[in-house]
Structures are given as C-alpha cells and as structure tokens.
Amino acid sequence: MRHLMSPLDFSVEELDQLLNLANDIEANPKKYAHACDGKKLATLFYEPSTRTRLSFEAAMMNLGGNVLGFSSADSSSASKGESVADTIRMVACYADICAMRHPKEGAPLVASLHSPIPVINAGDGGHQHPTQTLTDLLTIRTLKGRLNNLTIGLCGDLKFGRTVHSLINALVRYTGIRFILISPEELRVPSYIREDVLRKKNIEFEEVERLEDALPKLDLLYMTRVQKERFFNEEDYVRMKDFYILDRKKMELAPKDMLVLHPLPRVNEISVEVDDDPRAVYFKQAQFGVYARMALILTLLEVKVC
Ligand code: NCD
C-alpha cells in the first residue's frame, strides 16, 4: 500500500504514467465513470480549502465513488482533543482512501504511519502540497508540451508557500530547468530548499526582487499569494501583501508564449484584467486538478481501467 506525502514519493517514470492517465481521463471521461463504484474517499480538512477539497470530492464522484469528511478542525473531534493517529484508525473503518490537510507540518505523515488505507497529503502547514504539484505538472506538460528545458519564475511568498516547495522538489528531477526566484528579501525560499535541493543538485537559479526584470526571460510564471495565516504578526503581512501585482502592463514585458500559473486562491497578486489574456491559465489549472486527483486515486487504489 502506498501513501502520497511528497511529489518525490513517485519516480519520474511513475509520474509520467500518472500524467498520461490524467490526460486519458480528460479525453475519455466515460471510460472511468464507474472505476471506483462502491469506494469511499474521506476528506479530513483541519485547515480551510476550496479547490483542493472540492476537486478531491469531484474526482472521486467522477469515478463513481462516494465521499465523506469534514472541512474544519472545529467540526471534527480534534476539537475534543483526539489525535491524528486515532482519527485515521477510525476513518479507515469507514473509507478506502483519505486526503488530509493539516496546519502542522508532518501531520499527514503521522497519519500514514498509523493508517491501513492510503493517505494523501493535501497540504501540511508551510511544508508540502504534492497534489497541487501533480496539478501543476499536468498543466505545464499539457499546455507547454514538456517538463524539461524551462525557465520558471516563482513569484511571491516563497518562504511559506508550500506549493512552491513541492513544485521545486518535483521539477529539479527534469533536465534543463532554470529558476528565477522572485520575492521580497523576507519571503525568500527557506534555506533547506536553496541548499539541500537547488545547490545540491546544481540547479541554475537566481534570486531577484523585481518581477519586471525577470518577466522577459520566462517560459512560465508561477504566482503565489502571501500566506497570511503563517505570519506571526499582522503588520508584516500588511507590508508584504501587495508587493507584487501582475497587471496588463507588466504582461507586455513577457514573451508571447509565457504561461501564468497560480495555485489559487488569488488575492491581489494578479489583477483581474489579466484573466482574459490567453497566457493566463490558472482557471484551466484548477480544472486539471480534478484529472490529476482522479489519476492519483486510481493509482493509489490500484484500480486498472482497460
Ligand atoms: C494553495 C495551498 O493551500 O497551499 N491552495 C491550493 O491548494 N490551491 C495555495 C494557497 O493557499 O495560497
């Protein structure tokens, strides 16, 4: 039995197969409509979510399965003091697979150690968000046609943004990847990412503050929200929150085929006037999230569809 804690839990070949499966699901949805008949997915969300939880639920429903779960810690027995280890043992009596989001780094890993059913990390604190990475890889591979030889700008809150941490971890396994890390000084990537991932693997990267300087060089721009909930004080958040605002004027500096991704939710970092630009693919990306999660559920439940 397998869990998904980090995008590195799959080899590059396994990821390729999973993305192929997601593309096939998109092209032939009917073929998969009963693949999980009679199966149940539990969504255990101790932290707010719209896309991740609903796309997991939609994914399981599209496969013919059912869903159950909770969408905040307050509405679960965590508020009575139940441990994650006990919760997962009990949930395993009701469901075949579970997706867990938790504010504490490592909580889904703890759950997986006590779980007789596959556990998927649906975001743990500022650490990892592997299913967003599957979504991002599927979006990039499908719309750009490749996952190698790309110059990728990651912009915004690179310190607390778990989607960025997972995406960097996943992309360094492909060839010809170059990063431009665009953030204010205080929100630069954590040193473990800089040293243990980028430097260790000899990945070409630069850290800059001005988005305008990076834009002309990019194949992809991955915008992120400043992670309000991870700041220790409100003042710092208020100072940082509007540091970057991508607007139509800045988009003029970007190549004609540069894609703009964003895991969403967006606050102010992308002006709504950019939404009509054909290069803005963040809503398509949210749609790809459903196919990626369908492929993941089938893979972890070892369901084969011929
Ligand atoms: C992201 C997350 O939860 O980390 N959202 C998502 O799952 N699409 C990004 C964010 O909250 O900023």
Side-chain angles (χ1 to χ4, degrees), residues 47-49 51-52 101 122-123 125 129 132 161-163 224-227 229-230 262-265 293:
E47 216 188 32
S49 165
R51 258 151 307 275
T52 305
R101 167 168 291 189
H129 193 345
Q132 182 64 46
R162 57 193 173 194
T163 60
T224 62
R225 164 181 79 89
V226 176
Q227 305 280 297
E229 63 277 36
R230 317 234 183 267
H262 190 310
L264 303 176
R293 291 182 174 96

Side-chain angles (χ1 to χ4, degrees), residues 217-233:
K217 307 179 202 163
L218 302 179
D219 296 308
L220 290 175
L221 172 62
Y222 193 93
M223 292 296 290
T224 62
R225 164 181 79 89
V226 176
Q227 305 280 297
K228 182 177 184 198
E229 63 277 36
R230 317 234 183 267
F231 274 74
F232 290 110
N233 72 66

Side-chain angles (χ1 to χ4, degrees), residues 152-167:
I152 299 150
L154 299 165
C155 177
D157 187 346
L158 309 187
K159 179 178 179 187
F160 296 117
R162 57 193 173 194
T163 60
V164 166
H165 305 159
S166 284
L167 186 58

Side-chain angles (χ1 to χ4, degrees), residues 270-285:
I270 303 181
S271 160
V272 289
E273 67 188 24
V274 176
D275 296 358
D276 297 333
D277 189 307
R279 294 169 289 182
V281 297
Y282 27 90
F283 290 111
K284 275 191 201 156
Q285 189 182 352

Side-chain angles (χ1 to χ4, degrees), residues 33-267:
H34 295 287
C36 285
D37 276 358
K39 300 232 187 282
K40 292 193 239 21
L41 163 80
T43 49
L44 313 181
F45 277 60
Y46 295 82
E47 216 188 32
S49 165
T50 308
R51 258 151 307 275
T52 305
R53 188 170 60 85
L54 297 189
S55 65
F56 260 116
E57 297 187 352
M60 192 47 150
M61 289 176 189
N62 290 346
L63 294 167
N66 285 307
V67 295
L68 66 166
F70 53 82
S71 55
S72 79
D74 298 345
S75 63
S76 81
S77 283
S79 63
K80 300 182 187 169
E82 186 173 54
S83 69
V84 159
D86 279 5
T87 303
I88 192 69
R89 281 200 195 98
M90 187 261 320
V91 165
C93 305
Y94 312 147
D96 303 281
I97 184 165
C98 113
M100 177 183 284
R101 167 168 291 189
H102 205 287
K104 283 205 187 118
E105 284 83 3
L109 178 65
V110 171
S112 73
L113 299 174
H114 295 91
S115 178
I117 60 170
V119 177
I120 300 166
N121 176 4
D124 63 328
H127 186 219
Q128 296 262 7
H129 193 345
T131 63
Q132 182 64 46
T133 299
L134 299 181
T135 303
D136 300 340
L137 295 179
L138 180 64
T139 307
I140 299 168
R141 200 187 76 159
T142 309
L143 301 181
K144 260 307 194 205
R146 64 182 194 277
L147 286 171
N148 46 25
N149 302 322
L150 290 167
T151 299
I152 299 150
L154 299 165
C155 177
D157 187 346
L158 309 187
K159 179 178 179 187
F160 296 117
R162 57 193 173 194
T163 60
V164 166
H165 305 159
S166 284
L167 186 58
I168 292 177
N169 264 297
L171 282 170
V172 296
R173 298 195 290 180
Y174 298 89
T175 53
I177 294 293
R178 190 168 160 258
F179 291 108
I180 305 189
L181 305 173
I182 310 151
S183 75
E185 178 72 28
E186 286 151 278
L187 297 180
R188 286 165 65 180
V189 287
S191 59
Y192 78 89
I193 298 272
R194 189 180 305 106
E195 302 306 325
D196 301 347
V197 183
L198 296 168
R199 292 232 161 90
K200 205 168 179 176
K201 290 199 181 304
N202 273 322
I203 303 295
E204 207 184 312
F205 73 97
E206 54 184 303
E207 297 187 272
V208 303
E209 202 171 270
R210 274 173 51 86
L211 176 58
E212 292 84 339
D213 297 341
L215 272 169
K217 307 179 202 163
L218 302 179
D219 296 308
L220 290 175
L221 172 62
Y222 193 93
M223 292 296 290
T224 62
R225 164 181 79 89
V226 176
Q227 305 280 297
K228 182 177 184 198
E229 63 277 36
R230 317 234 183 267
F231 274 74
F232 290 110
N233 72 66
E234 175 85 13
E235 260 166 56
D236 287 345
Y237 169 69
V238 170
R239 205 161 35 80
M240 293 284 120
K241 73 180 173 70
D242 292 332
F243 205 94
Y244 298 107
I245 299 180
L246 182 67
D247 55 16
R248 211 178 265 158
K249 197 153 186 297
K250 291 200 188 81
M251 284 299 283
E252 284 171 16
L253 302 170
K256 294 272 165 290
D257 60 351
M258 184 195 80
L259 298 182
V260 184
L261 281 77
H262 190 310
L264 303 176
R266 134 177 80 183
V267 187

